[in-house]
Amino acid sequence: MSIRLGEQAPNFTAKTTEGEIDFHKWMDGKWAMLFSYPEDFTPVCTTELGAVAKLMPEFEKRNTKVIGLSIDSVSVHNEWNKDIDETQCTTMNYHVIGDEESKVSELYDLIHPTSSGKQTIRAVYIVGP
């Protein structure tokens, strides 16, 4: 079942490109935008993540942290970050969760019921402090 407006966002611990986090502690009293995408190294996802990196000063002005998620591993994310930096003329400046076991994806209902379970759907959660 998906999360409903007004419910507390589920907490989780996860490995990210910037180290392991506890989601609620990582938020540290700020807003958070958690977004998912299908997989690394695709043209559309590369463009999306680069655009978010370029918008980070605007998120920071609004007291908002950003974190991405896919089922690819952190090591794959780190390799992809280099490609994003180069092709999108930016620097990846936010966490990306490696959710290889789909724990966060299942917690946030990010796997389409008819998929093979290997790709997360495109989704965005705005989580209040």
Side-chain angles (χ1 to χ4, degrees):
M1 175 178 275
S2 62
I3 303 164
R4 293 193 170 99
L5 191 61
E7 293 179 339
Q8 182 173 354
N11 194 28
F12 58 86
T13 57
K15 294 178 184 174
T16 79
T17 52
E18 305 296 320
E20 189 162 323
I21 65 160
D22 173 294
F23 185 60
H24 287 174
K25 288 180 183 174
W26 170 80
M27 286 178 57
D28 191 30
K30 298 182 181 205
W31 289 85
M33 180 178 83
L34 167 68
F35 70 98
S36 61
Y37 56 92
E39 65 183 325
D40 294 2
F41 290 100
T42 63
V44 172
C45 295
T46 299
T47 304
E48 290 173 347
L49 271 73
V52 171
K54 290 176 184 175
L55 289 170
M56 281 306 295
E58 296 301 319
F59 286 111
E60 290 166 357
K61 283 182 196 174
R62 290 160 179 84
N63 199 34
T64 302
K65 290 185 161 189
V66 173
I67 192 162
L69 174 144
S70 87
I71 295 178
D72 290 315
S73 69
V74 169
S75 62
V76 172
H77 293 335
N78 285 330
E79 287 302 310
W80 186 37
N81 284 353
K82 296 173 194 173
D83 181 63
I84 293 169
D85 292 350
E86 182 181 324
T87 63
Q88 303 307 300
C89 302
T90 190
T91 300
M92 283 298 292
N93 49 9
Y94 57 92
H95 292 254
V96 180
I97 298 168
D99 194 27
E100 293 175 273
E101 295 176 12
S102 306
K103 290 180 181 178
V104 179
S105 300
E106 290 173 6
L107 187 63
Y108 277 77
D109 197 26
L110 298 172
I111 305 292
H112 193 279
T114 62
S115 82
S116 67
K118 297 294 180 191
Q119 291 184 327
T120 48
I121 59 171
R122 291 189 195 298
V124 177
Y125 285 97
I126 306 299
V127 182

